[in-house]
Amino acid sequence: MKHLLKLLFAVALGFGVSGLASAQEVTLRVHHFLPAPAPVPKNFITPWAQKVEAESNGRIKVEVYPAMQLGGKPPALFDQTKDGVVDIAWTLPGYTPGRFPGTEAFELPFMPASAEATSQAAWDFYDKYLRKEFGAVHVIATHVHSPGLLHVKGDGVTKLEDMRGLKLRGPTRQVNNLLSAMGATPVGMPVPAMPEALSKGVIDGTVIPWEVAKPLKVAELVNSHTDFDSSRGFYTAFFVFVMNKARYDALPEDLKAVIDANSGRETSQWVGRVMDEGDAPGIQAAEAAGNAIRKLPPAEVERWKAAAAPLVDAWVAEMDGKGYDGTAMVAEAKALIARYAGAE
């Protein structure tokens, strides 16, 4: 009887150890460049991690590292994921100019509607045109921020001529091209570096969406904010939420299914909606600071659109030279955005 009890105890212990091992089979490290309280980390990345953990019954653990805590600069995030330094990253392809040219269709002038609508369009566009560009990773979501605007020191921008000579931070190649076409001097840098550049006078202003203005305290560093009275915003930037391909491929099928259930158009729509909802606190911070908040009227917006139009033609020609169909890509991006914006 004593031997039987020992045997039963050993079997029970074995099941217990096995149960503990299966309770947490995978740990995924997520890396990104914003402070944890910013809208996307707080209202998308962390809830996404919690959702994946819950739907995997604890077999997947997700650790989130904000503000580049695992080292490196924001432009390194894609390669950190591709090379397996981290498992998942949230980043801008535009931080590595020229590497992901197809994404720039969404960064052309006066392209975006709301972030929620445009992010769904971005997923469909990725699915049709960009899978080869991102073949080195597993893509979880693609999205954009809500239409960006100008945040400038002093009197700010009330007309196109006011852009002349301003040193303005831009996030990506196409946005920098847009600022240059408007008469400004673009200064490219990742968004975490922008507040210090503003405070030290390295730049006169920046283009960002309202969503990131509050966590980076932009209203305290500028005096004016200029938006556009238009159905399509001045610009946006294309983001990706990507996973190391080998890490994804190595998952058991049921855990892959959990990742898949939290990927795609609906997930892209979710993060786009978070971007839109994040605008209100940024506007409130600017109002509390007593800053000038203005929208350029439609007639003035048309002047900006006319000045920006050659950039679209130049991008189409460049893409054609790379073997893409630039005209078709621009038309497809516009049509997809119109479809989802019309559904709102």
Side-chain angles (χ1 to χ4, degrees):
M1 178 62 71
K2 187 182 292 186
H3 291 297
L4 179 59
L5 288 173
K6 284 184 178 179
L7 178 61
L8 290 172
F9 178 76
V11 171
L13 182 61
F15 274 117
V17 171
S18 175
L20 287 172
S22 64
Q24 183 188 313
E25 294 181 4
V26 177
T27 298
L28 300 177
R29 300 194 304 167
V30 180
H31 203 201
H32 67 84
F33 57 81
L34 284 181
V40 169
K42 180 180 178 181
N43 299 321
F44 170 66
I45 295 177
T46 295
W48 182 90
Q50 294 168 342
K51 192 167 182 284
V52 166
E53 289 181 343
E55 292 177 11
S56 69
N57 295 316
R59 292 172 60 205
I60 297 176
K61 180 182 179 183
V62 183
E63 298 174 348
V64 179
Y65 296 88
M68 303 304 297
Q69 287 180 351
L70 296 179
K73 303 290 186 182
L77 281 165
F78 185 87
D79 281 334
Q80 286 184 356
T81 308
K82 177 180 70 71
D83 298 337
V85 176
V86 302
D87 301 302
I88 297 173
W90 175 72
T91 189
L92 284 79
Y95 279 171
T96 51
R99 187 172 178 181
F100 305 96
T103 64
E104 293 180 339
F106 279 72
E107 297 180 349
L108 293 172
F110 296 97
M111 181 68 74
S114 72
E116 183 172 0
T118 310
S119 294
Q120 294 174 81
W123 178 265
D124 289 358
F125 189 87
Y126 154 75
D127 198 30
K128 181 170 182 177
Y129 287 108
L130 306 181
R131 285 192 173 272
K132 185 176 179 180
E133 284 190 13
F134 290 95
V137 295
H138 178 79
V139 177
I140 295 171
T142 62
H143 72 95
V144 302
H145 62 60
S146 58
L149 63 152
L150 297 154
H151 309 260
V152 181
K153 295 179 180 181
D155 294 335
V157 176
T158 61
K159 59 185 182 299
L160 182 59
E161 288 75 13
D162 294 337
M163 292 285 282
R164 193 170 298 133
L166 288 177
K167 292 180 291 183
L168 299 177
R169 173 264 173 187
T172 66
R173 186 178 77 109
Q174 280 305 317
V175 178
N176 286 336
N177 288 344
L178 174 59
L179 295 176
S180 182
M182 300 301 102
T185 299
V187 182
M189 68 179 71
V191 74
M194 176 262 295
E196 182 179 3
L198 273 173
S199 67
K200 291 184 175 180
V202 175
I203 54 177
D204 303 308
T206 184
V207 290
I208 52 169
W210 281 117
E211 164 265 329
V212 80
K214 183 174 181 179
L216 297 181
K217 300 181 178 180
V218 172
E220 301 171 18
L221 299 168
V222 302
N223 310 101
S224 72
H225 313 268
T226 300
D227 206 345
F228 299 77
D229 187 357
S230 171
S231 64
R232 296 293 180 264
F234 184 44
Y235 83 96
T236 193
F238 195 101
F239 294 76
V240 292
F241 194 45
V242 294
M243 182 173 180
N244 176 265
K245 190 173 180 62
R247 196 79 163 109
Y248 172 82
D249 290 342
L251 292 175
E253 291 303 316
D254 57 339
L255 295 187
K256 278 184 185 175
V258 173
I259 299 297
D260 293 346
N262 291 281
S263 302
R265 187 189 301 113
E266 289 186 4
T267 301
S268 301
Q269 179 183 11
W270 174 13
V271 64
R273 182 168 61 250
V274 165
M275 286 283 203
D276 286 332
E277 292 170 349
D279 282 355
I283 295 170
Q284 291 164 5
E287 291 172 342
N291 291 352
I293 302 174
R294 60 177 68 97
K295 274 193 176 185
L296 298 184
E300 180 65 18
V301 173
E302 289 304 314
R303 297 182 64 220
W304 291 62
K305 289 181 178 179
L311 296 179
V312 178
D313 295 335
W315 186 82
V316 166
E318 181 182 348
M319 294 303 289
D320 289 347
K322 295 178 183 292
Y324 294 79
D325 186 339
T327 300
M329 292 173 79
V330 171
E332 181 80 3
K334 289 181 176 179
L336 288 168
I337 292 168
R339 177 196 304 172
Y340 289 109
E344 290 184 327

